């Protein structure tokens, strides 16, 4: 590694420019770091209070650690289990455990303020009786402390909520490339960006270009882009969604895409179709899980009916959007 | 007594996060104190004081804040010991991003704001790169993608440090930070330690109060843009 030229190093690991830029040196790209360092005057080392060898050793140490991080693979999640705590009134929750596997969608339903977000926070935090609810969340049978030694807990979980917005001054193409570069090699970036972009457009149902500014996207477009990005670029195997407004996006297909990427999805929602679409739904009342309902055949029929109704509403909305005058609702779709 | 230094660019949420950390230590009955280093003005010592802990402020005014910090830290350390503190937290704002107040063997924590821009990890020098822990604030209001890109860049600027997202408003993540502070900090004799990164070699005519502009007024350690 150390005898590679600066060009070879930065082509393989573009991120190390973050470290190299700090030296305020015009590096000769065709030489190694060591050869470049040899060209430096004495005051370069004086300023840093470091010897030639110390600067060199520090760079080697940096390279080793940075390389290890870039090549690190994310832990696969086989299961996540929630163990009971207690509700707002201190009464223990009435279940033994809730175990979820990749490809499953769990809806969290309940009245506003009942504690849906709190459950999502417990999962994000990987609670170990150290949150107000006293719940415990175990991922792959491993406690939070054990996990710190292996990989970062926080990188296992992606979050999407109403309050999250794009804040960068970039267009869609630049933005997706920047994210993809975090995880895949240069050669794979373009294909991945295209896939996310096309998925986002199909989810939002509204065209936008790769040149569109991300902060200028509509609510629906930006949610669609966030979900597609989450499904294909983010490596976090668990996705927590807190009541995103559907803003005209095909939220069911969005969920299918997420679980198709072998993610585990927890979604707090008031949307009846989405709640029925989930494999299981957790009902929260007064801060506690009060019921866990698995979708049975009868509910599947109900889902089917609800989807039809939803389709008709979508159709109606599109007609209204396009300026039609509506004379009747029944029998249109 | 264990000294822990908190530093970071201005307006990144340092005081808010530190207050949550103090609260967490206080709830466990651990005696803590806090000192705020600032340049021109601060009310933050009162915020700490209102939490019922010994607090102090230092204003560097016309001096370089980092030089001011390092020349005052022994006194502040003694003050903490006199107050029978178990933990003494110092907070200072990195201003030119060239320096850092970090001392070897003293736990050093950088607090950096996700909204400060996607390039900020490469613009902040030793303040970020030499920290033992990096706490990223305001991550809850941006997209997952922006969080992941920012995280990766912080990792690449500082592959040695532990990186955490914290929410200074709700306190999400603070408990774990407090546990890590207890595990990573240690007691040591301050006078035997050295700075992790030297302060800038200054002393040009402007350090000495020169206000006029032009070649003839530039005396001392002067660097040209080239």
């Amino acid at each position: 590694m150390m005898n590679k030229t600066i060009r070879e190093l930065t082509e393989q690991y573009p991120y190390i420019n973050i470290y190299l830029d700090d030296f305020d040196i015009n590096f000769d790209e065709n030489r190694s770091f060591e050869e470049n360092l040899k060209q430096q005057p004495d005051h370069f080392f004086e300023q840093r209070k470091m010897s030639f060898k110390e600067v060199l050793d520090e760079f080697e140490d940096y390279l080793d650690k940075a390389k290890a991080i870039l090549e690190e693979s994310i832990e696969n999640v086989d299961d996540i289990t929630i163990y009971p705590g207690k509700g707002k009134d201190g009464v223990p929750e009435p279940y033994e455990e809730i175990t979820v596997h990749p490809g499953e969608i769990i809806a969290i339903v309940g009245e506003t303020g009942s504690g849906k977000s709190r459950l999502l926070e417990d999962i994000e935090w990987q609670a170990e009786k150290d949150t107000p609810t006293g719940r415990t969340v175990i991922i792959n049978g491993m406690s939070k402390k054990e996990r710190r030694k292996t990989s970062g807990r926080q990188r296992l979980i992606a979050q999407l909520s109403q309050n999250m917005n794009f804040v960068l001054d970039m267009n869609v193409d630049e933005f997706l490339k920047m994210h993809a570069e975090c995880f895949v090699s240069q050669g794979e970036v373009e294909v991945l960006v295209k896939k996310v972009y096309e998925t986002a457009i199909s989810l939002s149902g509204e065209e936008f270009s790769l040149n569109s500014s991300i902060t200028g996207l509509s609510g629906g477009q930006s949610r669609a882009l966030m979900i597609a990005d989450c499904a294909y670029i983010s490596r976090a195997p668990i996705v927590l969604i807190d009541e995103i407004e559907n803003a005209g996006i095909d939220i069911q297909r969005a969920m299918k895409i997420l679980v198709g990427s072998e993610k585990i999805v927890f979604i707090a929602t008031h949307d009846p179709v989405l709640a029925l679409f989930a494999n299981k739904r957790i009902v929260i009342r007064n801060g506690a899980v009060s019921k866990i309902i698995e979708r049975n055949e009868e509910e599947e029929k109900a889902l089917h009916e609800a989807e039809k109704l939803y389709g008709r509403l979508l159709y109606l909305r599109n007609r209204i959007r396009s300026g039609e005058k509506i004379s009747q609702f029944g029998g249109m779709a | 007594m264990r000294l822990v230094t908190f530093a970071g660019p201005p307006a990144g949420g340092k005081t808010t996060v530190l207050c949550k950390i103090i609260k967490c230590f206080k709830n466990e009955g651990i005696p803590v104190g806090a000192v705020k280093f600032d340049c021109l003005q601060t009310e933050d010592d009162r915020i700490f004081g209102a939490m019922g802990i010994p607090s102090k402020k230092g204003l560097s005014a016309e001096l370089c804040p980092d030089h001011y910090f390092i020349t005052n830290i022994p006194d502040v350390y003694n003050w903490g010991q006199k107050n029978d503190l178990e933990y003494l937290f110092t907070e200072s704002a990195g201003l030119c991003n060239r320096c850092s107040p970090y001392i070897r063997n003293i736990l050093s924590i950088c607090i950096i704001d996700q909204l400060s821009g996607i390039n900020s990890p490469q613009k902040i020098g030793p303040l970020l790169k030499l920290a033992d822990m990096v706490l990223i604030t305001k991550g809850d209001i941006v997209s997952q993608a922006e969080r992941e890109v920012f995280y990766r860049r912080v990792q690449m600027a500082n592959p040695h440090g532990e990186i955490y997202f914290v929410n200074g408003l709700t306190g999400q993540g603070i408990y774990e930070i407090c546990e890590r502070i207890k595990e990573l900090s240690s007691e040591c004799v301050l006078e035997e330690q050295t700075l992790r990164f030297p302060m800038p070699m200054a002393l040009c005519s402007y350090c000495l109060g020169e206000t006029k502009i032009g070649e003839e007024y530039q005396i001392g350690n002067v660097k040209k843009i080239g």
Side-chain angles (χ1 to χ4, degrees):
Chain A
M1 279 294 282
M2 286 299 279
N3 48 31
K4 285 194 176 171
T5 65
I6 297 290
R7 176 172 292 124
E8 286 168 334
L9 282 176
T10 52
E11 269 171 12
Q12 196 174 358
Y13 305 108
Y15 280 110
I16 69 165
N17 278 318
I18 295 179
Y19 186 87
L20 295 177
D21 282 351
D22 233 33
F23 283 104
D24 195 18
I25 297 178
N26 282 324
F27 283 102
D28 179 348
E29 295 212 316
N30 297 316
R31 290 164 181 250
S32 71
F33 182 79
E34 184 170 359
E35 285 161 348
N36 271 284
L37 205 56
K38 278 184 189 150
Q39 307 296 316
Q40 297 312 309
D42 289 348
H43 73 252
F44 174 88
F45 300 98
E46 269 164 37
Q47 246 175 27
R48 283 172 176 72
K49 291 273 178 301
M50 287 170 91
S51 67
F52 175 85
K53 187 162 184 312
E54 282 169 329
V55 178
L56 195 64
D57 287 350
E58 202 184 82
F59 181 62
E60 188 166 17
D61 184 43
Y62 171 83
L63 265 190
D64 283 348
K65 292 201 165 106
K67 192 169 163 276
I69 288 171
L70 290 169
E71 287 167 2
E72 182 182 57
S73 60
I74 197 148
E75 182 183 342
N76 272 326
V77 169
D78 297 320
D79 51 66
I80 170 168
T81 306
I82 304 166
Y83 295 96
K86 52 191 182 336
K88 286 176 187 164
D89 47 13
V91 178
E93 292 182 304
Y95 62 94
E96 277 176 25
E97 57 169 67
I98 305 168
T99 299
V100 187
H101 301 280
E104 282 188 285
I105 303 173
I106 308 300
I108 302 168
V109 299
E111 282 166 24
T112 304
S114 58
K116 298 188 294 296
S117 299
R118 185 67 249 180
L119 178 58
L120 290 177
E121 280 172 29
D122 284 347
I123 297 168
E124 191 271 336
W125 174 235
Q126 215 192 314
E128 273 175 47
K129 295 192 165 65
D130 54 1
T131 63
T133 62
R135 289 189 189 111
T136 302
V137 175
I138 298 287
I139 300 173
N140 283 350
M142 206 190 277
S143 76
K144 190 155 55 181
K145 273 199 174 153
E146 286 173 84
R147 172 152 293 104
R148 186 180 301 119
K149 290 172 205 151
T150 55
S151 67
R153 164 181 61 82
Q154 291 176 310
R155 278 168 295 154
L156 290 179
I157 291 166
Q159 284 177 290
L160 219 73
S161 89
Q162 198 93 271
N163 305 328
M164 288 171 190
N165 290 297
F166 292 127
V167 296
L168 294 174
D169 180 19
M170 283 187 168
N171 68 34
V172 173
D173 189 48
E174 291 163 336
F175 178 76
L176 293 176
K177 273 186 187 149
M178 180 184 74
H179 191 203
E181 279 164 1
C182 289
F183 305 119
V184 301
S185 66
Q186 282 301 324
E188 299 164 76
V189 168
E190 209 170 312
V191 179
L192 191 54
V193 166
K194 190 162 176 270
K195 188 172 176 185
V196 173
Y197 169 67
E198 283 169 0
T199 307
I201 285 186
S202 77
L203 285 178
S204 81
E206 293 174 311
E207 278 286 334
F208 55 90
S209 99
L210 276 168
N211 292 322
S212 309
S213 153
I214 51 168
T215 52
L217 297 178
S218 72
Q221 289 166 336
S222 54
R223 296 299 152 214
L225 187 61
M226 281 185 196
I227 291 169
D229 170 276
C230 212
Y232 297 129
I233 302 182
S234 169
R235 295 188 301 173
I238 301 167
V239 184
L240 308 181
I241 304 177
D242 198 355
E243 292 182 31
I244 51 170
E245 77 275 32
N246 69 16
I249 66 172
D250 188 344
I251 193 90
Q252 276 193 58
R253 254 200 64 226
M255 295 304 113
K256 279 181 197 153
I257 287 166
L258 283 174
V259 297
S261 299
E262 282 302 291
K263 310 252 182 201
I264 292 174
V265 181
F266 288 90
I267 179 164
T269 184
H270 292 291
D271 181 330
V273 183
L274 200 50
L276 283 174
F277 181 68
N279 312 67
K280 275 180 206 161
R281 60 183 190 272
I282 296 174
V283 185
I284 310 271
R285 186 173 294 152
N286 202 17
V289 172
S290 71
K291 268 185 203 163
I292 300 153
I293 301 175
E294 273 190 59
R295 196 181 59 202
N296 59 15
E297 256 176 60
E298 220 159 307
E299 284 207 344
E300 247 165 73
K301 277 185 207 153
L303 170 65
H304 201 61
E305 289 300 308
E307 279 174 338
K308 269 198 260 176
L309 189 60
Y310 183 67
R312 287 172 61 196
L313 278 171
L314 273 184
Y315 180 66
L316 181 65
R317 190 181 57 200
N318 286 340
R319 287 180 60 196
I320 290 175
R321 272 213 286 218
S322 63
E324 276 183 50
K325 195 162 167 60
I326 306 301
S327 54
Q328 56 167 20
F329 177 54
M332 292 181 313
Chain B
M1 185 185 73
R2 299 170 178 200
L3 176 63
V4 182
T5 55
F6 291 81
K14 292 187 295 300
T15 307
T16 313
V17 169
L18 190 49
C19 281
K20 287 284 192 304
I21 292 173
I22 290 168
K23 207 171 146 199
C24 186
F25 276 82
K26 260 196 77 189
N27 286 345
E28 293 181 39
I30 300 170
V32 293
V35 180
K36 168 85 181 193
F37 284 90
D38 222 322
C39 287
L40 296 175
Q41 195 204 1
T42 186
E43 298 291 317
D44 294 349
D45 57 313
R46 280 197 221 153
I47 300 176
F48 297 144
M51 299 183 78
I53 61 159
S55 67
K56 213 173 164 58
K57 75 171 163 186
L59 294 179
S60 62
E62 72 280 9
L63 299 178
C64 161
D66 292 297
H67 286 239
Y68 177 79
F69 173 87
I70 207 67
T71 46
N72 282 286
I73 197 69
D75 295 328
V76 163
Y77 192 82
N78 291 338
W79 168 84
Q81 283 184 317
K82 268 187 215 133
N83 277 283
D84 290 321
L85 301 180
E86 243 177 75
Y87 285 87
L88 171 61
F89 300 140
T90 67
E91 182 200 329
S92 54
L95 295 170
C96 63
N97 293 336
R98 154 63 180 75
C99 288
S100 79
Y102 303 146
I103 300 165
R104 289 206 171 90
N105 301 316
I106 302 283
L107 182 62
S108 303
I109 302 178
C110 177
I111 298 179
I112 174 174
D113 168 0
Q114 167 89 54
L115 296 180
S116 61
I118 208 74
N119 293 321
S120 75
Q122 60 241 61
K123 287 182 185 160
I124 302 170
L127 201 58
L128 173 64
K129 297 182 181 177
L130 301 179
D132 302 304
M133 291 170 76
V134 181
L135 313 185
I136 304 172
T137 59
K138 305 181 199 173
D140 56 313
I141 49 179
V142 303
S143 67
Q144 179 68 23
E146 283 157 288
R147 272 194 297 279
E148 290 182 5
V149 172
F150 198 78
Y151 189 93
R152 166 67 20 115
R153 294 189 178 187
V154 170
Q155 276 185 315
M156 288 298 106
N158 181 350
H160 318 273
E162 297 184 2
I163 310 165
Y164 298 90
F165 283 99
V166 295
N167 187 328
L169 296 179
T170 64
Q172 182 89 349
I174 295 291
Y175 180 81
E176 188 173 17
I177 303 304
C178 294
E179 291 302 301
R180 292 308 286 159
I181 288 175
K182 288 180 209 160
E183 282 162 43
L184 296 173
S185 62
S186 59
E187 271 187 68
C188 60
V189 182
L190 188 62
E191 271 83 4
E192 288 173 4
Q193 311 305 327
T194 54
L195 274 170
R196 295 189 187 193
F197 193 75
M199 300 282 171
M201 298 193 176
L203 242 75
C204 68
S205 41
Y206 295 98
C207 302
L208 299 169
E210 181 61 80
T211 55
K212 294 188 189 117
I213 298 160
E215 199 79 44
E216 55 190 303
Y217 306 106
Q218 302 167 1
I219 302 161
N221 192 2
V222 176
K223 189 180 172 189
K224 294 293 182 180
I225 194 164

